[in-house]
Amino acid sequence: MTRDCLLEPFSSHTPQEVDDITSQVVDIIEKNYIHFPKHDQWFTSGGKQRFADRVRYHVARNIPLEFILPAFPVKSCNPDKTLGKSPDKAEELAIHSMKIVADLIKAVYAPGVHYNVVSDGHVFSDLVGSDDAAVDSYGEMFWEMAHNLYPGLVNFFRLDEFLLDNHSEDSIAKLISNTTVEHPVATELTANAENARRALMCLFGCDESTVTKEIKDDPETRNLYRGFSRFMLEDLYEHKSCKNLPSKSAKKKLCSQVAFLMILRNRAYSAMVEWLFPLQLRISIHPHPNRGPKYGINIIHSSLVAAQRSSEEKNFHIPTPWHNAVVELADGKFMLLHSKVIRGSSVHAGEMACEQLELSQQLLLKREGYRMVLVTYPDGRPSHYKQVSTMSKL
């Protein structure tokens, strides 16, 4: 799946057939998957052409398209955002969306697609207030969910599988002996995850002074840093490491430190993914200008969701299953929203940094004649909220 694909033989397609299939596949992905931000470069700066070149590589060899998606880390530690720590209806919708796109591509290109989720959970878990064990549990449950829904559609990989497998403990210890990582947020670590983080930064980390300079001089890096800072202030507000600080300025200082470390680790992880998967289709849950090599996607297909404006999309990323809960509207469409918005109140009294929904969306949830009920799985785990008529029986 990685660099071995370079050795795949060419198919019997003619050059014209390869071009025709490539064009159809790219059009499907453009219409059903690509997220177009305000300053998009998909149609300019060669973005679409670079993406098409990677599609053509696979089509010319008659092999499945390989999507690489760093995602599905762990549920947010903020109880005002999600329904709990386990995958739920939000993750289901993401998997269903993958299937929708896969079926559309399969109709024009027989080999179809594979989704390779390379979880970034342990890359950031100690920074976002999640214990390493929680990341492992979430990953196992997500993989089981994906496999049960659509066997063979999704592969799931963890950081340690890339960096620690097939290496002796002595060789790993020697590699990371001079590398440490900071932990400004209190979480419970596991030796395996910590060794993987240290190996990541040892092999692919960049110089801190370079990032410091870019935050100062480069508007795109500076905006990312500010976005991370604001987002983490929201995510960590009720976490003990943030909540126990004496002032809001101290909280902001902690979250700015976390934001800086997140950029460092994100760059290292991106470098590792690019090295391991040089020719695959690199997609992301973050908005990107789409000039390549990363391309932003709408992780929930438009056919499944009601139109909504998201403060997350504006400030940081496309709404994700691990930062939101799902509400199923009476018309069968879904919305990804913070759980406190669906409930109409916060579990905690802490200030939320995010914007509130527009009035029209609030009215949609609270319209006369309907109420919200919590839907659960057979084992009692929460799945999502559902809008039902007050005349309906539970």
Side-chain angles (χ1 to χ4, degrees), residues 301-335:
H301 193 266
S302 60
S303 65
L304 300 175
V305 295
Q308 65 187 95
R309 177 179 177 271
S310 167
S311 61
E312 286 183 348
E313 178 184 334
K314 175 183 176 183
N315 291 327
F316 179 55
H317 62 207
I318 301 159
T320 67
W322 46 97
H323 290 111
N324 292 278
V326 168
V327 57
E328 181 180 359
L329 302 177
D331 63 2
K333 294 277 189 175
F334 299 92
M335 297 179 73

mmCIF file of all heavy atoms in Angstrom, residues 301-335:
data_model
loop_
_atom_site.group_PDB
_atom_site.id
_atom_site.type_symbol
_atom_site.label_atom_id
_atom_site.label_comp_id
_atom_site.label_asym_id
_atom_site.label_seq_id
_atom_site.Cartn_x
_atom_site.Cartn_y
_atom_site.Cartn_z
ATOM 1 N N HIS A 301 -21.240 13.517 3.642
ATOM 2 C CA HIS A 301 -21.734 13.804 2.290
ATOM 3 C C HIS A 301 -22.934 14.740 2.341
ATOM 4 O O HIS A 301 -23.781 14.656 3.239
ATOM 5 C CB HIS A 301 -22.109 12.494 1.590
ATOM 6 C CG HIS A 301 -22.325 12.646 0.129
ATOM 7 N ND1 HIS A 301 -23.563 12.869 -0.427
ATOM 8 C CD2 HIS A 301 -21.450 12.631 -0.908
ATOM 9 C CE1 HIS A 301 -23.462 12.954 -1.740
ATOM 10 N NE2 HIS A 301 -22.177 12.820 -2.057
ATOM 11 N N SER A 302 -23.011 15.618 1.364
ATOM 12 C CA SER A 302 -24.063 16.641 1.331
ATOM 13 C C SER A 302 -25.463 16.047 1.286
ATOM 14 O O SER A 302 -26.425 16.684 1.731
ATOM 15 C CB SER A 302 -23.847 17.571 0.130
ATOM 16 O OG SER A 302 -23.891 16.840 -1.080
ATOM 17 N N SER A 303 -25.614 14.829 0.767
ATOM 18 C CA SER A 303 -26.937 14.211 0.687
ATOM 19 C C SER A 303 -27.479 13.808 2.054
ATOM 20 O O SER A 303 -28.673 13.544 2.203
ATOM 21 C CB SER A 303 -26.897 12.976 -0.222
ATOM 22 O OG SER A 303 -26.080 11.958 0.335
ATOM 23 N N LEU A 304 -26.600 13.770 3.054
ATOM 24 C CA LEU A 304 -26.997 13.325 4.384
ATOM 25 C C LEU A 304 -27.284 14.466 5.345
ATOM 26 O O LEU A 304 -27.945 14.257 6.374
ATOM 27 C CB LEU A 304 -25.900 12.439 4.994
ATOM 28 C CG LEU A 304 -25.538 11.160 4.223
ATOM 29 C CD1 LEU A 304 -24.364 10.467 4.902
ATOM 30 C CD2 LEU A 304 -26.728 10.228 4.128
ATOM 31 N N VAL A 305 -26.789 15.655 5.051
ATOM 32 C CA VAL A 305 -26.864 16.740 6.030
ATOM 33 C C VAL A 305 -27.765 17.868 5.561
ATOM 34 O O VAL A 305 -27.894 18.142 4.366
ATOM 35 C CB VAL A 305 -25.459 17.311 6.340
ATOM 36 C CG1 VAL A 305 -24.602 16.274 7.012
ATOM 37 C CG2 VAL A 305 -24.783 17.838 5.084
ATOM 38 N N ALA A 306 -28.384 18.505 6.551
ATOM 39 C CA ALA A 306 -29.113 19.741 6.291
ATOM 40 C C ALA A 306 -28.096 20.864 6.173
ATOM 41 O O ALA A 306 -27.045 20.845 6.803
ATOM 42 C CB ALA A 306 -30.091 20.018 7.434
ATOM 43 N N ALA A 307 -28.397 21.847 5.347
ATOM 44 C CA ALA A 307 -27.470 22.973 5.161
ATOM 45 C C ALA A 307 -27.247 23.657 6.501
ATOM 46 O O ALA A 307 -28.182 23.915 7.255
ATOM 47 C CB ALA A 307 -28.035 23.961 4.151
ATOM 48 N N GLN A 308 -25.995 23.948 6.801
ATOM 49 C CA GLN A 308 -25.690 24.614 8.056
ATOM 50 C C GLN A 308 -24.396 25.403 7.929
ATOM 51 O O GLN A 308 -23.503 25.065 7.164
ATOM 52 C CB GLN A 308 -25.566 23.601 9.196
ATOM 53 C CG GLN A 308 -24.393 22.635 9.031
ATOM 54 C CD GLN A 308 -24.395 21.542 10.082
ATOM 55 O OE1 GLN A 308 -24.896 20.468 9.875
ATOM 56 N NE2 GLN A 308 -23.800 21.854 11.223
ATOM 57 N N ARG A 309 -24.318 26.452 8.712
ATOM 58 C CA ARG A 309 -23.105 27.260 8.775
ATOM 59 C C ARG A 309 -22.371 26.896 10.043
ATOM 60 O O ARG A 309 -22.965 26.795 11.110
ATOM 61 C CB ARG A 309 -23.452 28.749 8.779
ATOM 62 C CG ARG A 309 -22.244 29.673 8.923
ATOM 63 C CD ARG A 309 -22.699 31.123 8.890
ATOM 64 N NE ARG A 309 -21.581 32.026 9.083
ATOM 65 C CZ ARG A 309 -21.167 32.452 10.265
ATOM 66 N NH1 ARG A 309 -21.774 32.028 11.360
ATOM 67 N NH2 ARG A 309 -20.155 33.289 10.374
ATOM 68 N N SER A 310 -21.089 26.695 9.957
ATOM 69 C CA SER A 310 -20.333 26.225 11.110
ATOM 70 C C SER A 310 -19.266 27.212 11.519
ATOM 71 O O SER A 310 -18.475 27.677 10.696
ATOM 72 C CB SER A 310 -19.674 24.882 10.781
ATOM 73 O OG SER A 310 -18.719 24.558 11.754
ATOM 74 N N SER A 311 -19.226 27.543 12.809
ATOM 75 C CA SER A 311 -18.147 28.389 13.312
ATOM 76 C C SER A 311 -16.821 27.639 13.251
ATOM 77 O O SER A 311 -15.764 28.230 13.083
ATOM 78 C CB SER A 311 -18.438 28.822 14.748
ATOM 79 O OG SER A 311 -18.541 27.701 15.596
ATOM 80 N N GLU A 312 -16.867 26.301 13.388
ATOM 81 C CA GLU A 312 -15.641 25.512 13.295
ATOM 82 C C GLU A 312 -15.022 25.651 11.915
ATOM 83 O O GLU A 312 -13.817 25.823 11.759
ATOM 84 C CB GLU A 312 -15.952 24.034 13.577
ATOM 85 C CG GLU A 312 -16.220 23.736 15.036
ATOM 86 C CD GLU A 312 -16.457 22.257 15.267
ATOM 87 O OE1 GLU A 312 -16.641 21.529 14.280
ATOM 88 O OE2 GLU A 312 -16.443 21.837 16.429
ATOM 89 N N GLU A 313 -15.868 25.552 10.891
ATOM 90 C CA GLU A 313 -15.360 25.656 9.524
ATOM 91 C C GLU A 313 -14.714 27.016 9.296
ATOM 92 O O GLU A 313 -13.679 27.132 8.648
ATOM 93 C CB GLU A 313 -16.504 25.446 8.533
ATOM 94 C CG GLU A 313 -16.100 25.585 7.081
ATOM 95 C CD GLU A 313 -17.292 25.454 6.153
ATOM 96 O OE1 GLU A 313 -18.281 24.801 6.520
ATOM 97 O OE2 GLU A 313 -17.217 26.023 5.056
ATOM 98 N N LYS A 314 -15.320 28.054 9.837
ATOM 99 C CA LYS A 314 -14.801 29.398 9.657
ATOM 100 C C LYS A 314 -13.432 29.555 10.311
ATOM 101 O O LYS A 314 -12.525 30.157 9.752
ATOM 102 C CB LYS A 314 -15.779 30.419 10.244
ATOM 103 C CG LYS A 314 -15.267 31.861 10.204
ATOM 104 C CD LYS A 314 -16.263 32.789 10.868
ATOM 105 C CE LYS A 314 -15.720 34.220 10.925
ATOM 106 N NZ LYS A 314 -16.636 35.135 11.629
ATOM 107 N N ASN A 315 -13.299 28.991 11.514
ATOM 108 C CA ASN A 315 -12.113 29.265 12.304
ATOM 109 C C ASN A 315 -11.016 28.216 12.225
ATOM 110 O O ASN A 315 -9.854 28.522 12.428
ATOM 111 C CB ASN A 315 -12.512 29.431 13.781
ATOM 112 C CG ASN A 315 -13.310 30.690 14.015
ATOM 113 O OD1 ASN A 315 -13.084 31.682 13.351
ATOM 114 N ND2 ASN A 315 -14.240 30.636 14.942
ATOM 115 N N PHE A 316 -11.396 26.967 11.964
ATOM 116 C CA PHE A 316 -10.354 25.966 12.114
ATOM 117 C C PHE A 316 -10.510 24.782 11.174
ATOM 118 O O PHE A 316 -9.642 24.484 10.386
ATOM 119 C CB PHE A 316 -10.323 25.478 13.564
ATOM 120 C CG PHE A 316 -9.291 24.431 13.836
ATOM 121 C CD1 PHE A 316 -7.965 24.662 13.536
ATOM 122 C CD2 PHE A 316 -9.639 23.225 14.403
ATOM 123 C CE1 PHE A 316 -6.992 23.697 13.791
ATOM 124 C CE2 PHE A 316 -8.688 22.252 14.661
ATOM 125 C CZ PHE A 316 -7.370 22.500 14.353
ATOM 126 N N HIS A 317 -11.635 24.081 11.240
ATOM 127 C CA HIS A 317 -11.756 22.889 10.423
ATOM 128 C C HIS A 317 -13.205 22.587 10.073
ATOM 129 O O HIS A 317 -14.139 23.192 10.590
ATOM 130 C CB HIS A 317 -11.112 21.676 11.118
ATOM 131 C CG HIS A 317 -11.734 21.296 12.425
ATOM 132 N ND1 HIS A 317 -11.035 20.661 13.411
ATOM 133 C CD2 HIS A 317 -12.983 21.452 12.907
ATOM 134 C CE1 HIS A 317 -11.820 20.446 14.445
ATOM 135 N NE2 HIS A 317 -13.008 20.904 14.172
ATOM 136 N N ILE A 318 -13.373 21.686 9.148
ATOM 137 C CA ILE A 318 -14.686 21.243 8.737
ATOM 138 C C ILE A 318 -15.296 20.448 9.888
ATOM 139 O O ILE A 318 -14.597 19.674 10.538
ATOM 140 C CB ILE A 318 -14.563 20.381 7.467
ATOM 141 C CG1 ILE A 318 -13.904 21.214 6.350
ATOM 142 C CG2 ILE A 318 -15.916 19.856 7.014
ATOM 143 C CD1 ILE A 318 -13.271 20.385 5.257
ATOM 144 N N PRO A 319 -16.589 20.610 10.195
ATOM 145 C CA PRO A 319 -17.180 19.889 11.334
ATOM 146 C C PRO A 319 -16.871 18.393 11.304
ATOM 147 O O PRO A 319 -17.047 17.735 10.279
ATOM 148 C CB PRO A 319 -18.680 20.150 11.164
ATOM 149 C CG PRO A 319 -18.739 21.463 10.469
ATOM 150 C CD PRO A 319 -17.564 21.480 9.540
ATOM 151 N N THR A 320 -16.394 17.875 12.422
ATOM 152 C CA THR A 320 -15.956 16.488 12.480
ATOM 153 C C THR A 320 -16.777 15.693 13.486
ATOM 154 O O THR A 320 -17.335 16.256 14.428
ATOM 155 C CB THR A 320 -14.477 16.403 12.900
ATOM 156 O OG1 THR A 320 -14.364 16.841 14.264
ATOM 157 C CG2 THR A 320 -13.599 17.254 12.006
ATOM 158 N N PRO A 321 -16.819 14.371 13.334
ATOM 159 C CA PRO A 321 -17.556 13.526 14.275
ATOM 160 C C PRO A 321 -16.999 13.536 15.690
ATOM 161 O O PRO A 321 -17.736 13.248 16.630
ATOM 162 C CB PRO A 321 -17.434 12.129 13.654
ATOM 163 C CG PRO A 321 -17.198 12.359 12.201
ATOM 164 C CD PRO A 321 -16.362 13.607 12.154
ATOM 165 N N TRP A 322 -15.718 13.829 15.840
ATOM 166 C CA TRP A 322 -15.120 13.755 17.174
ATOM 167 C C TRP A 322 -15.174 15.086 17.911
ATOM 168 O O TRP A 322 -14.679 15.191 19.028
ATOM 169 C CB TRP A 322 -13.687 13.227 17.103
ATOM 170 C CG TRP A 322 -12.828 13.833 16.036
ATOM 171 C CD1 TRP A 322 -11.939 14.856 16.171
ATOM 172 C CD2 TRP A 322 -12.755 13.446 14.659
ATOM 173 N NE1 TRP A 322 -11.327 15.138 14.975
ATOM 174 C CE2 TRP A 322 -11.806 14.274 14.022
ATOM 175 C CE3 TRP A 322 -13.409 12.463 13.898
ATOM 176 C CZ2 TRP A 322 -11.498 14.161 12.663
ATOM 177 C CZ3 TRP A 322 -13.106 12.359 12.549
ATOM 178 C CH2 TRP A 322 -12.162 13.205 11.945
ATOM 179 N N HIS A 323 -15.808 16.101 17.308
ATOM 180 C CA HIS A 323 -16.022 17.365 18.011
ATOM 181 C C HIS A 323 -17.494 17.755 18.045
ATOM 182 O O HIS A 323 -17.832 18.883 18.423
ATOM 183 C CB HIS A 323 -15.228 18.499 17.343
ATOM 184 C CG HIS A 323 -13.749 18.398 17.528
ATOM 185 N ND1 HIS A 323 -12.892 18.108 16.495
ATOM 186 C CD2 HIS A 323 -12.978 18.513 18.639
ATOM 187 C CE1 HIS A 323 -11.647 18.056 16.961
ATOM 188 N NE2 HIS A 323 -11.673 18.294 18.239
ATOM 189 N N ASN A 324 -18.370 16.841 17.635
ATOM 190 C CA ASN A 324 -19.786 17.170 17.539
ATOM 191 C C ASN A 324 -20.654 15.966 17.875
ATOM 192 O O ASN A 324 -20.182 14.830 17.929
ATOM 193 C CB ASN A 324 -20.136 17.632 16.113
ATOM 194 C CG ASN A 324 -19.516 18.960 15.755
ATOM 195 O OD1 ASN A 324 -20.031 20.017 16.107
ATOM 196 N ND2 ASN A 324 -18.387 18.931 15.055
ATOM 197 N N ALA A 325 -21.927 16.251 18.086
ATOM 198 C CA ALA A 325 -22.953 15.218 18.181
ATOM 199 C C ALA A 325 -23.864 15.361 16.967
ATOM 200 O O ALA A 325 -23.779 16.337 16.219
ATOM 201 C CB ALA A 325 -23.745 15.379 19.473
ATOM 202 N N VAL A 326 -24.730 14.386 16.774
ATOM 203 C CA VAL A 326 -25.630 14.382 15.628
ATOM 204 C C VAL A 326 -27.067 14.564 16.097
ATOM 205 O O VAL A 326 -27.486 13.983 17.090
ATOM 206 C CB VAL A 326 -25.512 13.057 14.841
ATOM 207 C CG1 VAL A 326 -26.640 12.911 13.823
ATOM 208 C CG2 VAL A 326 -24.162 12.986 14.134
ATOM 209 N N VAL A 327 -27.806 15.379 15.357
ATOM 210 C CA VAL A 327 -29.248 15.438 15.537
ATOM 211 C C VAL A 327 -29.890 15.034 14.218
ATOM 212 O O VAL A 327 -29.505 15.509 13.148
ATOM 213 C CB VAL A 327 -29.730 16.836 15.982
ATOM 214 C CG1 VAL A 327 -29.308 17.922 15.009
ATOM 215 C CG2 VAL A 327 -31.241 16.850 16.156
ATOM 216 N N GLU A 328 -30.837 14.103 14.297
ATOM 217 C CA GLU A 328 -31.585 13.664 13.123
ATOM 218 C C GLU A 328 -32.884 14.456 13.080
ATOM 219 O O GLU A 328 -33.715 14.373 13.990
ATOM 220 C CB GLU A 328 -31.881 12.164 13.208
ATOM 221 C CG GLU A 328 -32.641 11.621 12.009
ATOM 222 C CD GLU A 328 -32.928 10.134 12.121
ATOM 223 O OE1 GLU A 328 -32.505 9.521 13.129
ATOM 224 O OE2 GLU A 328 -33.578 9.592 11.204
ATOM 225 N N LEU A 329 -33.037 15.248 12.018
ATOM 226 C CA LEU A 329 -34.224 16.082 11.883
ATOM 227 C C LEU A 329 -35.428 15.245 11.457
ATOM 228 O O LEU A 329 -35.295 14.112 10.994
ATOM 229 C CB LEU A 329 -33.965 17.200 10.880
ATOM 230 C CG LEU A 329 -32.789 18.128 11.209
ATOM 231 C CD1 LEU A 329 -32.596 19.156 10.101
ATOM 232 C CD2 LEU A 329 -33.012 18.827 12.549
ATOM 233 N N ALA A 330 -36.594 15.828 11.590
ATOM 234 C CA ALA A 330 -37.819 15.112 11.265
ATOM 235 C C ALA A 330 -37.882 14.706 9.796
ATOM 236 O O ALA A 330 -38.557 13.732 9.451
ATOM 237 C CB ALA A 330 -39.032 15.980 11.618
ATOM 238 N N ASP A 331 -37.174 15.419 8.923
ATOM 239 C CA ASP A 331 -37.194 15.093 7.489
ATOM 240 C C ASP A 331 -36.154 14.040 7.112
ATOM 241 O O ASP A 331 -35.992 13.723 5.930
ATOM 242 C CB ASP A 331 -36.991 16.349 6.646
ATOM 243 C CG ASP A 331 -35.632 17.003 6.867
ATOM 244 O OD1 ASP A 331 -34.816 16.458 7.648
ATOM 245 O OD2 ASP A 331 -35.371 18.069 6.265
ATOM 246 N N GLY A 332 -35.421 13.486 8.103
ATOM 247 C CA GLY A 332 -34.441 12.445 7.830
ATOM 248 C C GLY A 332 -33.040 12.945 7.579
ATOM 249 O O GLY A 332 -32.103 12.136 7.478
ATOM 250 N N LYS A 333 -32.854 14.253 7.484
ATOM 251 C CA LYS A 333 -31.514 14.816 7.322
ATOM 252 C C LYS A 333 -30.838 14.914 8.688
ATOM 253 O O LYS A 333 -31.486 14.837 9.731
ATOM 254 C CB LYS A 333 -31.595 16.207 6.688
ATOM 255 C CG LYS A 333 -32.115 16.211 5.259
ATOM 256 C CD LYS A 333 -31.024 15.899 4.275
ATOM 257 C CE LYS A 333 -31.498 16.129 2.844
ATOM 258 N NZ LYS A 333 -30.415 15.951 1.865
ATOM 259 N N PHE A 334 -29.523 15.111 8.659
ATOM 260 C CA PHE A 334 -28.753 15.168 9.895
ATOM 261 C C PHE A 334 -28.007 16.492 10.003
ATOM 262 O O PHE A 334 -27.676 17.121 8.996
ATOM 263 C CB PHE A 334 -27.734 14.026 9.949
ATOM 264 C CG PHE A 334 -28.358 12.661 9.907
ATOM 265 C CD1 PHE A 334 -28.557 12.003 8.703
ATOM 266 C CD2 PHE A 334 -28.751 12.027 11.085
ATOM 267 C CE1 PHE A 334 -29.126 10.739 8.659
ATOM 268 C CE2 PHE A 334 -29.318 10.771 11.057
ATOM 269 C CZ PHE A 334 -29.507 10.121 9.847
ATOM 270 N N MET A 335 -27.718 16.892 11.245
ATOM 271 C CA MET A 335 -26.881 18.058 11.512
ATOM 272 C C MET A 335 -25.820 17.669 12.525
ATOM 273 O O MET A 335 -26.103 16.924 13.463
ATOM 274 C CB MET A 335 -27.704 19.231 12.040
ATOM 275 C CG MET A 335 -28.745 19.767 11.068
ATOM 276 S SD MET A 335 -29.722 21.136 11.765
ATOM 277 C CE MET A 335 -28.517 22.473 11.740
#
